[in-house]
């Protein structure tokens, strides 16, 4: 689930990079009359200089607040957890794992309300559940990626198959995958992960009208429902029939090398495809023909939060508004996809065909909350699902999906 935020150039953003404190607590201590705010960022070293320039811009325009940028690097989780335990958390910090950290974060609902309805409405609705826990918002959206269907145009042309469209169903994908596998030597029509991240995989259940759990966290009748079995079985059947391959990693390597014609992923791989000069296209994830609604995508999303420990929450909020506002959304174009509707419109983001599918999938995915935000024992459930999917998709096992899903539910009762 710790995926990089979507970026137009598809720069990786979900690694775990974030800032470190020099140990000084964020209290009301002033420096030359300015309130000091610590800001923890998780971007990599290559991008920290860009961030520092934007922080400097904020400091230059405020005579009452001074923000210091700190970097934790790969020890993000360790240092954030330690900071929350000791009351030494940075005032403002990037956040994605709200279920793990929300108790150390400041609820932002009252701050958002004071800004007026237009403030919240300018963000895409689908982003809010990923920056909340329960009924409270704990982060203002900064970056995201949905998933979409990537396809190799040259392979489709070689097979004489019409390219995918946003109106495709899984039946269309399977028919194309079969033809491609039959007509193009050494190429499989589709690839998917043999050990998919359960957090990501839930989108296929959503797309078919079910989920891992209901709103109360119940697995039985959801994870093992007929619709869940159908979704899980569909991928296994494609593998069994020989026109799809279950990959060890995420499928990018196979797609990049021309071994598969289609796969589903976020925007992270775009930069490498462009570097290769790969002739590819991107469209919405296919829908399930009988579901009665469009396909749904998981989001890999991040936001900016305020620490509950902060002694200067109003000043921290001023910086949060700056960092997530229109000016900064525009400044980070090419580095991440804007989260504000007004910026997407004014900067004509959707005119780029490489961006449009990630936003259409975002619009289609409103109203869905991942199981990891609902159940308290997500880590245990994730481990169970990891093994479940491997048993179903590993070529050496290929166990019956219905039996394995029922077993997973029984194990978690």
């Amino acid at each position: 689930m710790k995926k990089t935020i979507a970026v137009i150039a598809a720069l990786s953003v979900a690694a775990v990079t974030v800032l470190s404190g020099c140990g000084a607590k964020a209290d009301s201590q002033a420096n030359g009359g300015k309130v000091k705010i610590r800001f923890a960022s998780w971007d990599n070293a290559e991008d920290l200089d860009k961030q520092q320039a934007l922080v400097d811009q904020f400091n230059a325009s405020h005579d009452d607040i001074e923000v210091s940028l700190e970097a934790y690097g790969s020890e993000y989780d360790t240092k954030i957890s330690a900071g929350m335990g000791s009351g030494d958390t940075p005032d403002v910090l990037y956040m994605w794992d709200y279920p793990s950290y929300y108790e150390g974060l400041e609820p932002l609902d009252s701050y958002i309300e004071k800004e007026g309805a237009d403030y919240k409405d300018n963000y895409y609705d689908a982003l809010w559940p990923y920056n909340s826990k329960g009924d409270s918002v704990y982060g203002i959206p900064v970056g995201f990626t949905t998933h979409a269907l990537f396809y190799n145009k040259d392979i489709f042309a070689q097979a004489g198959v019409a390219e995918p469209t946003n109106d495709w169903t899984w039946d269309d994908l399977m028919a194309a995958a079969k033809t491609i596998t039959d007509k193009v030597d050494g190429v499989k029509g589709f690839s998917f992960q043999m050990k998919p991240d359960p957090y990501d995989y839930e989108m296929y259940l959503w797309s078919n009208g079910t989920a891992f759990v209901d709103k109360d966290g119940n697995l039985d009748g959801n994870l093992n429902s007929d619709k869940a079995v159908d979704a899980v079985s569909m991928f296994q059947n494609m593998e069994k029939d020989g026109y799809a391959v279950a990959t060890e990693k995420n499928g990018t390597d196979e797609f990049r090398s021309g071994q598969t014609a289609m796969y589903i992923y976020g925007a992270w791989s775009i930069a490498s495809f462009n570097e290769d000069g790969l002739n590819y296209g991107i469209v919405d994830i296919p829908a399930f023909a009988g579901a009665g609604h469009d396909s749904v995508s998981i989001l890999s999303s991040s936001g900016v939060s305020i620490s509950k420990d902060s002694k200067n929450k109003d000043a921290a909020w001023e910086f949060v508004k700056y960092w997530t506002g229109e000016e900064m959304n525009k400044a980070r174009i090419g580095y991440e996809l804007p989260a504000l509707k007004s910026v997407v419109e004014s900067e004509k983001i959707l005119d780029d065909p490489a961006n449009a599918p990630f936003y259409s999938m975002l619009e289609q995915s409103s109203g869905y909350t991942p199981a990891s935000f609902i159940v308290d024992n997500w880590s245990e459930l994730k481990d169970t699902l990891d093994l479940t999917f491997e048993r179903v998709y590993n070529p050496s096992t290929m166990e019956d999906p219905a039996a394995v899903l029922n077993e997973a539910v029984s194990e978690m009762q």
Side-chain angles (χ1 to χ4, degrees):
M1 173 173 160
K2 189 176 289 184
K3 294 280 174 70
T4 60
I5 306 169
V7 295
I8 297 176
L11 295 171
S12 208
V13 177
V16 268
T17 10
V18 150
L19 319 177
S20 108
C22 46
K25 288 189 177 181
D27 55 18
S28 58
Q29 176 185 1
N31 178 22
K34 291 190 174 186
V35 175
K36 297 179 68 176
I37 296 295
R38 296 164 56 201
F39 172 39
S41 164
W42 58 17
D43 285 294
N44 56 40
E46 178 183 344
D47 300 314
L48 285 173
D49 288 344
K50 301 173 186 176
Q51 285 202 338
Q52 184 63 61
L54 300 178
V55 169
D56 290 344
Q57 183 177 320
F58 175 88
N59 289 336
S61 63
H62 289 74
D63 57 11
D64 55 342
I65 305 172
E66 179 180 342
V67 177
S68 61
L69 186 64
E70 305 176 352
Y72 289 171
S74 61
E75 296 183 335
Y76 167 68
D77 287 305
T78 300
K79 291 193 173 185
I80 290 296
S81 297
M84 288 183 174
S86 64
D88 190 31
T89 315
D91 300 83
V92 179
L93 61 159
Y94 271 102
M95 183 53 57
W96 64 274
D97 190 0
Y98 295 93
S100 295
Y101 295 109
Y102 76 98
E103 292 178 332
L105 303 176
E106 177 75 4
L108 299 180
D109 303 271
S110 61
Y111 296 86
I112 294 170
E113 186 176 352
K114 288 178 183 178
E115 298 299 321
D118 290 345
Y119 175 83
K120 189 172 184 179
D121 289 345
N122 198 18
Y123 291 90
Y124 290 89
D125 289 342
L127 294 170
W128 290 113
Y130 292 82
N131 290 274
S132 304
K133 183 69 171 75
D135 296 327
S136 297
V137 175
Y138 289 96
I140 303 301
V142 174
F144 78 95
T145 184
T146 47
H147 288 229
L149 177 68
F150 289 76
Y151 65 95
N152 186 309
K153 293 187 175 186
D154 292 338
I155 294 175
F156 270 79
Q158 186 177 352
V161 176
E163 292 182 6
T165 69
N166 290 332
D167 297 325
W168 261 25
T169 66
W170 281 102
D171 291 338
D172 296 317
L173 182 146
M174 289 186 285
K178 287 178 181 178
T179 302
I180 288 168
T181 303
D182 290 341
K183 290 189 174 183
V184 184
D185 290 341
V187 174
K188 295 289 188 181
F190 182 66
S191 61
F192 64 94
Q193 290 177 270
M194 183 176 70
K195 302 176 184 178
D197 185 334
Y199 173 81
D200 293 340
Y201 193 92
E202 192 171 17
M203 66 182 175
Y204 298 122
L205 275 66
W206 290 340
S207 295
N208 202 30
T210 187
F212 289 156
V213 298
D214 60 21
K215 61 182 178 63
D216 298 317
N218 298 310
L219 285 163
D220 196 18
N222 298 286
L223 176 60
N224 58 350
S225 65
D226 290 343
K227 291 180 178 179
V229 172
D230 287 344
V232 174
S233 298
M234 180 184 71
F235 290 97
Q236 188 192 68
N237 289 336
M238 285 192 280
E239 184 182 10
K240 282 182 174 178
D241 291 343
Y243 54 88
V245 59
T247 67
E248 288 283 352
K249 296 181 180 179
N250 56 46
T252 298
D253 291 343
E254 289 82 0
F255 185 80
R256 191 176 181 182
S257 63
Q259 295 175 271
T260 58
M262 295 177 283
Y263 90 126
I264 291 171
Y265 202 49
W268 312 294
S269 55
I270 289 178
S272 62
F273 297 161
N274 290 341
E275 289 171 5
D276 293 348
L278 191 66
N279 188 17
Y280 68 95
I282 312 172
V283 295
D284 294 354
I285 297 172
F288 284 86
H293 59 77
D294 291 328
S295 58
V296 179
S297 175
I298 194 71
L299 273 66
S300 292
S301 172
S302 70
V304 176
S305 301
I306 297 175
S307 167
K308 186 178 288 186
D309 297 331
S310 174
K311 304 299 191 297
N312 293 298
K313 294 185 175 70
D314 288 341
W317 176 245
E318 284 304 309
F319 181 70
V320 168
K321 287 195 296 180
Y322 166 82
W323 199 253
T324 58
E326 288 189 350
E327 183 180 0
M328 291 300 98
N329 262 233
K330 292 177 182 178
R332 292 191 296 266
I333 291 174
Y335 164 73
E336 65 191 19
L337 291 172
L340 292 174
K341 297 174 185 176
S342 58
V343 174
V344 171
E345 181 177 357
S346 68
E347 305 308 303
K348 303 186 185 306
I349 300 298
L350 300 185
D351 288 353
D352 186 339
N355 297 329
F358 298 104
Y359 281 96
S360 59
M361 290 306 307
L362 183 65
E363 296 269 22
Q364 291 171 197
S365 303
S366 178
Y368 293 86
T369 302
S372 60
F373 283 71
I374 298 174
V375 299
D376 293 329
N377 62 336
W378 170 248
S379 60
E380 182 183 355
L381 177 57
K382 180 182 182 301
D383 289 344
T384 297
L385 292 172
D386 280 334
L387 180 58
T388 296
F389 293 135
E390 183 175 5
R391 290 169 61 186
V392 170
Y393 297 133
N394 190 313
S396 64
T397 52
M398 291 254 194
E399 295 187 43
D400 176 61
V404 177
L405 291 174
N406 276 315
E407 185 177 327
V409 170
S410 298
E411 181 180 330
M412 295 300 299
Q413 296 294 348

